[in-house]
Short mmCIF file of all heavy atoms in Angstrom, two decimals:
data_model
loop_
_atom_site.label_atom_id
_atom_site.label_comp_id
_atom_site.label_asym_id
_atom_site.label_seq_id
_atom_site.Cartn_x
_atom_site.Cartn_y
_atom_site.Cartn_z
N PRO A 1 0.81 -1.23 0.00
CA PRO A 1 0.00 0.00 0.00
C PRO A 1 0.84 1.28 0.00
O PRO A 1 0.50 2.25 -0.67
CB PRO A 1 -0.82 -0.13 1.29
CG PRO A 1 -0.89 -1.60 1.55
CD PRO A 1 0.44 -2.13 1.12
N ILE A 2 1.96 1.24 0.75
CA ILE A 2 2.83 2.43 0.76
C ILE A 2 3.45 2.63 -0.62
O ILE A 2 3.47 3.74 -1.16
CB ILE A 2 3.93 2.28 1.83
CG1 ILE A 2 3.31 2.13 3.21
CG2 ILE A 2 4.89 3.46 1.79
CD1 ILE A 2 4.32 1.83 4.30
N TRP A 3 3.95 1.53 -1.19
CA TRP A 3 4.55 1.62 -2.53
C TRP A 3 3.53 2.09 -3.56
O TRP A 3 3.86 2.89 -4.45
CB TRP A 3 5.14 0.28 -2.95
CG TRP A 3 5.36 0.23 -4.44
CD1 TRP A 3 4.69 -0.50 -5.36
CD2 TRP A 3 6.30 1.01 -5.18
NE1 TRP A 3 5.14 -0.24 -6.62
CE2 TRP A 3 6.14 0.70 -6.54
CE3 TRP A 3 7.26 1.96 -4.82
CZ2 TRP A 3 6.90 1.28 -7.54
CZ3 TRP A 3 8.02 2.55 -5.83
CH2 TRP A 3 7.85 2.21 -7.16
N SER A 4 2.30 1.63 -3.43
CA SER A 4 1.27 2.04 -4.38
C SER A 4 1.05 3.55 -4.35
O SER A 4 0.89 4.19 -5.40
CB SER A 4 -0.03 1.30 -4.07
OG SER A 4 -1.04 1.63 -5.01
N ARG A 5 1.06 4.13 -3.14
CA ARG A 5 0.91 5.59 -3.04
C ARG A 5 2.12 6.30 -3.64
O ARG A 5 1.98 7.32 -4.34
CB ARG A 5 0.71 6.01 -1.58
CG ARG A 5 -0.65 5.61 -1.01
CD ARG A 5 -0.91 6.31 0.32
NE ARG A 5 -0.02 5.85 1.37
CZ ARG A 5 -0.26 4.79 2.15
NH1 ARG A 5 -1.36 4.07 1.99
NH2 ARG A 5 0.60 4.45 3.10
N TRP A 6 3.32 5.79 -3.38
CA TRP A 6 4.52 6.37 -3.97
C TRP A 6 4.45 6.34 -5.49
O TRP A 6 4.77 7.32 -6.16
CB TRP A 6 5.75 5.60 -3.51
CG TRP A 6 6.17 5.86 -2.10
CD1 TRP A 6 5.50 6.58 -1.16
CD2 TRP A 6 7.35 5.38 -1.49
NE1 TRP A 6 6.19 6.59 0.01
CE2 TRP A 6 7.34 5.86 -0.14
CE3 TRP A 6 8.42 4.61 -1.89
CZ2 TRP A 6 8.36 5.58 0.75
CZ3 TRP A 6 9.44 4.32 -1.00
CH2 TRP A 6 9.41 4.80 0.30
N ALA A 7 4.07 5.18 -6.02
CA ALA A 7 4.00 5.03 -7.48
C ALA A 7 2.99 5.99 -8.08
O ALA A 7 3.22 6.59 -9.13
CB ALA A 7 3.66 3.59 -7.84
N ALA A 8 1.84 6.14 -7.39
CA ALA A 8 0.81 7.06 -7.90
C ALA A 8 1.34 8.50 -7.93
O ALA A 8 1.11 9.23 -8.90
CB ALA A 8 -0.44 6.97 -7.03
N LEU A 9 2.06 8.90 -6.88
CA LEU A 9 2.63 10.24 -6.85
C LEU A 9 3.69 10.41 -7.94
O LEU A 9 3.76 11.46 -8.61
CB LEU A 9 3.25 10.53 -5.48
CG LEU A 9 2.26 10.73 -4.33
CD1 LEU A 9 3.00 10.83 -2.99
CD2 LEU A 9 1.43 12.01 -4.56
N ALA A 10 4.52 9.38 -8.13
CA ALA A 10 5.57 9.45 -9.15
C ALA A 10 4.96 9.57 -10.54
O ALA A 10 5.42 10.35 -11.38
CB ALA A 10 6.48 8.24 -9.06
N VAL A 11 3.92 8.78 -10.80
CA VAL A 11 3.26 8.83 -12.11
C VAL A 11 2.58 10.18 -12.32
O VAL A 11 2.62 10.75 -13.42
CB VAL A 11 2.25 7.67 -12.25
CG1 VAL A 11 1.39 7.85 -13.49
CG2 VAL A 11 2.99 6.34 -12.31
N ALA A 12 1.95 10.70 -11.27
CA ALA A 12 1.32 12.02 -11.38
C ALA A 12 2.37 13.09 -11.70
O ALA A 12 2.13 13.98 -12.53
CB ALA A 12 0.59 12.37 -10.09
N ALA A 13 3.54 12.99 -11.06
CA ALA A 13 4.62 13.94 -11.35
C ALA A 13 5.09 13.80 -12.79
O ALA A 13 5.36 14.80 -13.47
CB ALA A 13 5.78 13.71 -10.38
N LEU A 14 5.20 12.55 -13.25
CA LEU A 14 5.60 12.31 -14.64
C LEU A 14 4.62 12.94 -15.62
O LEU A 14 5.01 13.59 -16.59
CB LEU A 14 5.70 10.81 -14.91
CG LEU A 14 6.97 10.10 -14.47
CD1 LEU A 14 6.77 8.59 -14.54
CD2 LEU A 14 8.13 10.50 -15.35
N LEU A 15 3.33 12.74 -15.37
CA LEU A 15 2.31 13.26 -16.27
C LEU A 15 2.31 14.78 -16.29
O LEU A 15 2.27 15.42 -17.35
CB LEU A 15 0.93 12.75 -15.85
CG LEU A 15 0.63 11.28 -16.16
CD1 LEU A 15 -0.69 10.86 -15.52
CD2 LEU A 15 0.58 11.04 -17.67
N LEU A 16 2.35 15.39 -15.09
CA LEU A 16 2.32 16.85 -15.02
C LEU A 16 3.56 17.47 -15.65
O LEU A 16 3.47 18.38 -16.48
CB LEU A 16 2.20 17.29 -13.55
CG LEU A 16 2.19 18.81 -13.31
CD1 LEU A 16 1.01 19.45 -14.02
CD2 LEU A 16 2.15 19.10 -11.82
N ALA A 17 4.74 16.95 -15.27
CA ALA A 17 5.97 17.50 -15.81
C ALA A 17 6.07 17.27 -17.31
O ALA A 17 6.50 18.14 -18.07
CB ALA A 17 7.18 16.88 -15.09
N GLY A 18 5.68 16.07 -17.75
CA GLY A 18 5.74 15.77 -19.18
C GLY A 18 4.81 16.66 -19.99
O GLY A 18 5.14 17.09 -21.10
N THR A 19 3.63 16.95 -19.44
CA THR A 19 2.68 17.83 -20.14
C THR A 19 3.23 19.24 -20.29
O THR A 19 3.20 19.84 -21.37
CB THR A 19 1.34 17.87 -19.38
OG1 THR A 19 0.79 16.55 -19.32
CG2 THR A 19 0.35 18.78 -20.10
N VAL A 20 3.78 19.79 -19.19
CA VAL A 20 4.34 21.14 -19.24
C VAL A 20 5.51 21.21 -20.20
O VAL A 20 5.61 22.11 -21.05
CB VAL A 20 4.77 21.60 -17.83
CG1 VAL A 20 5.49 22.94 -17.89
CG2 VAL A 20 3.57 21.68 -16.91
N GLN A 21 6.41 20.23 -20.11
CA GLN A 21 7.58 20.24 -20.99
C GLN A 21 7.18 20.05 -22.44
O GLN A 21 7.74 20.67 -23.34
CB GLN A 21 8.56 19.13 -20.57
CG GLN A 21 9.91 19.21 -21.25
CD GLN A 21 10.73 20.41 -20.81
OE1 GLN A 21 10.26 21.25 -20.05
NE2 GLN A 21 11.94 20.52 -21.30
N GLY A 22 6.17 19.20 -22.69
CA GLY A 22 5.70 19.01 -24.05
C GLY A 22 5.13 20.28 -24.65
O GLY A 22 5.37 20.61 -25.81
N LEU A 23 4.37 21.02 -23.84
CA LEU A 23 3.80 22.28 -24.33
C LEU A 23 4.90 23.28 -24.68
O LEU A 23 4.79 24.02 -25.67
CB LEU A 23 2.88 22.88 -23.25
CG LEU A 23 1.56 22.13 -23.02
CD1 LEU A 23 0.82 22.73 -21.82
CD2 LEU A 23 0.67 22.20 -24.26
N ILE A 24 5.97 23.28 -23.90
CA ILE A 24 7.06 24.22 -24.16
C ILE A 24 7.86 23.82 -25.39
O ILE A 24 8.16 24.64 -26.26
CB ILE A 24 7.99 24.32 -22.93
CG1 ILE A 24 7.25 24.96 -21.76
CG2 ILE A 24 9.25 25.12 -23.26
CD1 ILE A 24 8.04 24.95 -20.46
N GLU A 25 8.20 22.52 -25.50
CA GLU A 25 9.08 22.07 -26.57
C GLU A 25 8.37 21.91 -27.90
O GLU A 25 8.99 22.04 -28.96
CB GLU A 25 9.76 20.74 -26.18
CG GLU A 25 10.67 20.83 -24.97
CD GLU A 25 11.90 21.69 -25.22
OE1 GLU A 25 12.12 22.09 -26.37
OE2 GLU A 25 12.62 21.98 -24.25
N VAL A 26 7.06 21.62 -27.88
CA VAL A 26 6.33 21.41 -29.14
C VAL A 26 5.75 22.72 -29.66
O VAL A 26 5.81 23.00 -30.86
CB VAL A 26 5.22 20.35 -28.95
CG1 VAL A 26 4.38 20.22 -30.21
CG2 VAL A 26 5.84 19.01 -28.58
N ALA A 27 5.17 23.51 -28.79
CA ALA A 27 4.70 24.87 -29.10
C ALA A 27 3.41 24.93 -29.90
O ALA A 27 2.62 25.84 -29.73
CB ALA A 27 5.79 25.68 -29.80
N SER A 28 3.15 23.98 -30.80
CA SER A 28 1.93 24.04 -31.61
C SER A 28 1.48 22.63 -31.97
O SER A 28 2.30 21.73 -32.12
CB SER A 28 2.16 24.85 -32.88
OG SER A 28 3.00 24.16 -33.77
N PRO A 29 0.15 22.41 -32.14
CA PRO A 29 -0.34 21.09 -32.53
C PRO A 29 0.23 20.63 -33.86
O PRO A 29 0.49 19.43 -34.06
CB PRO A 29 -1.86 21.29 -32.60
CG PRO A 29 -2.14 22.46 -31.73
CD PRO A 29 -0.96 23.36 -31.86
N LYS A 30 0.45 21.56 -34.78
CA LYS A 30 0.98 21.19 -36.10
C LYS A 30 2.38 20.60 -35.98
O LYS A 30 2.73 19.62 -36.65
CB LYS A 30 1.01 22.42 -37.00
CG LYS A 30 1.30 22.12 -38.47
CD LYS A 30 1.16 23.39 -39.30
CE LYS A 30 1.27 23.07 -40.80
NZ LYS A 30 2.55 22.48 -41.16
N ALA A 31 3.20 21.18 -35.09
CA ALA A 31 4.56 20.68 -34.90
C ALA A 31 4.57 19.29 -34.29
O ALA A 31 5.54 18.54 -34.45
CB ALA A 31 5.36 21.64 -34.01
N LEU A 32 3.49 18.93 -33.63
CA LEU A 32 3.41 17.60 -33.01
C LEU A 32 3.39 16.50 -34.05
O LEU A 32 3.86 15.38 -33.80
CB LEU A 32 2.16 17.52 -32.13
CG LEU A 32 2.07 16.37 -31.12
CD1 LEU A 32 3.21 16.44 -30.12
CD2 LEU A 32 0.74 16.38 -30.42
N VAL A 33 2.84 16.78 -35.23
CA VAL A 33 2.76 15.76 -36.29
C VAL A 33 3.70 16.02 -37.44
O VAL A 33 3.99 15.12 -38.23
CB VAL A 33 1.30 15.65 -36.82
CG1 VAL A 33 0.37 15.15 -35.74
CG2 VAL A 33 0.81 17.00 -37.35
N ASP A 34 4.21 17.25 -37.56
CA ASP A 34 5.05 17.60 -38.70
C ASP A 34 6.54 17.48 -38.44
O ASP A 34 7.34 17.65 -39.36
CB ASP A 34 4.76 19.04 -39.16
CG ASP A 34 3.42 19.17 -39.87
OD1 ASP A 34 2.81 18.11 -40.16
OD2 ASP A 34 2.98 20.31 -40.12
N THR A 35 6.93 17.21 -37.19
CA THR A 35 8.35 17.13 -36.85
C THR A 35 8.69 15.77 -36.27
O THR A 35 7.83 15.08 -35.71
CB THR A 35 8.74 18.22 -35.85
OG1 THR A 35 8.06 17.99 -34.60
CG2 THR A 35 8.37 19.61 -36.36
N THR A 36 9.96 15.39 -36.40
CA THR A 36 10.42 14.12 -35.82
C THR A 36 10.25 14.13 -34.31
O THR A 36 9.81 13.13 -33.71
CB THR A 36 11.90 13.90 -36.17
OG1 THR A 36 12.05 13.86 -37.59
CG2 THR A 36 12.40 12.58 -35.59
#
């Protein structure tokens, strides 16, 4: 149960940080599909 809470927090951090970083690095929906 303790590990499950840790994992949930870690995954939430991954999702939040990944979303923010993706918005900064991609900048536009078009670049999401038009670039490598």
